[in-house]
Amino acid sequence: MSHNHTSTLDKAITTSRNVVITCTVAVTAALLGMTLLNLPGSQGQAQTPTHSTSTTTTPAPAAPATTGKVVAYTLETVMEGGKMGFKSPDGTFNPVLHAQPGDTIKITLINGDGILHDIAIPELKQDSTDIGTKGSRTVLSFVAEKAGTFTYICNLPGHVAAGMTGQLIVGNPAAATPAASAPSIARNPTDLPAPLARRAPQHLKYEFETIEKVGHLADGTTYNYWTFNGQVPGPFVRIRVGDTVDVTLKNPKDSVAPHSIDFHAVTGPGGGAAATQTAPGGQTNFTFKALNPGLYVYHCATPMVAHHITSGMYGLILVEPEAGLPKVDREFYVMQGELYTQKSIGEKGDAGFDVDKLLHENPEYFVFNGSTDALTKEYPMKAKVGETVRVFFGVGGPNYASNFHVIGEIFDTVYPEASMANAPMKHVQTTLVPAGGATMAEFKLQVPGNYPFVDHALSRMELGLKAMLHVEGPENHAIFKGKVQSGGGH
Ligand SMILES: [Cu+2]
């Protein structure tokens, strides 16, 4: 299969390796902002309090409370060694900006490189005018209404990928930190289509939406996920060999990044990614014919590709052989990925994305189905003694392969690398699944109990990688007899 986009990817990663991103508080700029405090008249930006401590009337509910304080920052666009960024007067690259809820944030952007830029905070719907002449400036000024961690970027195509992104923290991080909670992005492992009835090849239509959203990563910790259709992994696509598939990719207007889709089941440029680079607010389309049966990974392939994948943009597409797959009682859809966050594992709050850790393949978290507790607390898998189970297991990665193993079970059947062209393997303990690869593992349940799914590189279990299959039913003392102790992780 050809992947014409990989050369672009390699280039993006190579140029990004020169970068050192430091996250230092721009203290001088913050102090400068303090001096502007409450000087109405002297500053065009000084706010008239719209919601002061008046006790005579009921406060107007709609008006945001303002502190009257103006926090001013000056940033200059720079291009260094093929990398773009925002530089503060003290030389900090993409500095972290700070303000308190109710403060007026005033960012003066100076064009330092003669390239067209702007500054925007999409989550707060803030966007400056574009400036393209060296030395020209624009001002982005607004009241920070709510506490949180937001991303500032340059909106021009490719500039986020080139490095133009930093953080704005509104509120006291120490106070805001424990409060981080967000909706689940985890995919239920039983959320997959039923086996196909035997049928002739068809022409099918699938629509994907690239949804960026803050979601639950671990207890008290959130992450700004990028997803297909709002969940990790993306929807399980189930077709048969010979089907023709029409794919539409929609990227909502409020997205920060462009996105795309590359199916490893596609024969053609970029696996579809060459035809689906989709800007926020855009929509693209392509059609392919499924030539080879197998279980294939799909993922976003927009530079920096690894950033998009780690953030959750992966899923599986099953191309069933003509005769279908052997019948089983239950099927599960599980994918492994790893996350590169600014905060260390276990730290509360929004974890943030860390490009330096990504480039050095130094993850903080490993996850099944998007979060640390997706397949333990949220969607524990269930089955009964006597049933047969098939696991569709894929690795989104972006970088780490998985040594897939079920503790307490032996795979009766494994399709190595999800290839269906050869006879499957029998009686396998652990199967290696490459990044961007998949497998199908089948086993019959004979003994009740708890069966953890793991990557047998077991340190990763301590970094969030664990799933649990609970099996109920009668004991079978001929096969296993013993008192099950608690606390063994089983
Ligand atoms: Cu993407």
Side-chain angles (χ1 to χ4, degrees):
M1 194 163 359
S2 81
H3 283 259
N4 291 358
H5 63 286
T6 48
S7 57
T8 324
L9 161 62
D10 293 341
K11 200 169 141 213
I13 287 181
T14 311
T15 55
S16 303
R17 278 199 181 270
N18 303 325
V19 191
V20 179
I21 292 184
T22 49
C23 291
T24 319
V25 180
V27 180
T28 41
L31 288 174
L32 175 66
M34 304 290 253
T35 63
L36 300 175
L37 197 145
N38 288 328
L39 293 173
S42 69
Q43 285 288 321
Q45 292 303 320
Q47 295 293 304
T48 313
T50 54
H51 181 184
S52 64
T53 49
S54 163
T55 51
T56 52
T57 53
T58 22
T66 67
T67 58
K69 196 175 84 182
V70 179
V71 178
Y73 285 98
T74 300
L75 298 175
E76 186 175 354
T77 65
V78 287
M79 172 115 179
E80 287 172 2
K83 182 82 183 175
M84 292 178 179
F86 298 97
K87 205 162 161 181
S88 66
D90 68 357
T92 306
F93 204 74
N94 295 334
V96 179
L97 312 182
H98 288 268
Q100 292 300 320
D103 289 353
T104 297
I105 299 168
K106 182 185 172 190
I107 304 170
T108 302
L109 183 70
I110 302 170
N111 189 309
D113 53 12
I115 299 166
L116 194 64
H117 293 293
D118 70 359
I119 185 161
I121 305 169
E123 295 144 293
L124 300 178
K125 305 210 182 320
Q126 298 296 329
D127 193 358
S128 78
T129 51
D130 295 355
I131 43 169
T133 317
K134 193 166 177 177
S136 61
R137 47 182 72 200
T138 181
V139 174
L140 184 66
S141 180
F142 59 97
V143 177
E145 292 179 18
K146 53 177 182 177
T149 302
F150 308 100
T151 305
Y152 67 84
I153 61 165
C154 174
N155 247 333
L156 281 115
H159 288 200
V160 169
M164 298 193 78
T165 176
Q167 281 193 327
L168 164 67
I169 298 174
V170 179
N172 180 354
T177 285
S181 72
S184 167
I185 48 75
R187 165 112 16 218
N188 185 332
T190 61
D191 178 14
L192 74 168
L196 301 176
R198 288 188 71 169
R199 58 163 174 80
Q202 290 180 350
H203 194 125
L204 305 164
K205 282 184 197 301
Y206 283 91
E207 192 174 295
F208 294 83
E209 198 175 13
T210 57
I211 295 174
E212 302 171 354
K213 69 186 217 189
V214 175
H216 169 90
L217 165 59
D219 199 17
T221 305
T222 59
Y223 181 78
N224 186 20
Y225 289 91
W226 292 353
T227 72
F228 289 106
N229 296 18
Q231 287 177 307
V232 182
F236 191 95
V237 180
R238 192 163 201 157
I239 61 174
R240 62 149 276 174
V241 67
D243 280 349
T244 298
V245 181
D246 190 71
V247 178
T248 297
L249 188 71
K250 288 183 174 173
N251 190 352
K253 237 169 104 179
D254 59 359
S255 287
V256 166
H259 297 293
S260 58
I261 194 161
D262 167 352
F263 293 90
H264 292 181
V266 167
T267 306
T276 54
Q277 297 296 329
T278 312
Q283 176 175 330
T284 53
N285 182 277
F286 77 102
T287 304
F288 74 94
K289 184 168 185 171
L291 301 180
N292 308 105
L295 179 65
Y296 298 93
V297 168
Y298 67 83
H299 61 88
C300 180
T302 299
M304 177 187 300
V305 180
H307 179 191
H308 289 246
I309 294 176
T310 185
S311 297
M313 301 195 80
Y314 49 82
L316 289 177
I317 174 171
L318 173 66
V319 183
E320 289 194 5
E322 218 167 284
L325 294 173
K327 194 188 161 337
V328 291
D329 296 305
R330 289 175 199 272
E331 292 179 329
F332 296 108
Y333 173 26
V334 179
M335 284 192 83
Q336 176 171 329
E338 76 273 0
L339 286 156
Y340 302 83
T341 60
Q342 290 169 1
K343 287 208 168 93
S344 301
I345 179 153
E347 266 188 80
K348 307 291 186 203
D350 189 80
F353 164 69
D354 191 313
V355 72
D356 204 41
K357 286 180 186 170
L358 173 67
L359 294 176
H360 292 92
E361 302 188 15
N362 183 20
E364 290 290 339
Y365 291 89
F366 280 82
V367 291
F368 285 134
N369 287 20
S371 75
T372 58
D373 45 18
L375 303 188
T376 49
K377 282 189 200 152
E378 196 175 351
Y379 298 115
M381 294 171 282
K382 292 189 169 76
K384 294 192 175 73
V385 167
E387 290 180 335
T388 48
V389 163
R390 173 180 295 129
V391 184
F392 294 112
F393 185 88
V395 178
N399 298 319
Y400 283 83
S402 177
N403 313 273
F404 181 48
H405 175 77
V406 175
I407 297 175
E409 264 297 346
I410 296 153
F411 299 137
D412 298 322
T413 305
V414 169
Y415 296 79
E417 300 183 21
S419 165
M420 296 182 204
N422 308 302
M425 287 173 80
K426 294 288 177 184
H427 307 156
V428 175
Q429 58 190 308
T430 299
T431 190
L432 191 60
V433 186
T439 197
M440 296 188 302
E442 299 164 2
F443 48 99
K444 186 179 169 101
L445 301 164
Q446 285 137 316
V447 176
N450 293 330
Y451 295 85
F453 288 16
V454 298
D455 175 338
H456 216 289
L458 284 169
S459 302
R460 298 172 190 173
M461 198 192 252
E462 311 307 322
L463 301 183
L465 193 62
K466 195 173 175 185
M468 189 61 90
L469 173 65
H470 299 284
V471 178
E472 286 183 353
E475 294 287 349
N476 187 339
H477 285 168
I479 295 177
F480 182 89
K481 191 176 174 188
K483 189 176 179 326
V484 176
Q485 302 156 318
S486 59
H490 301 144

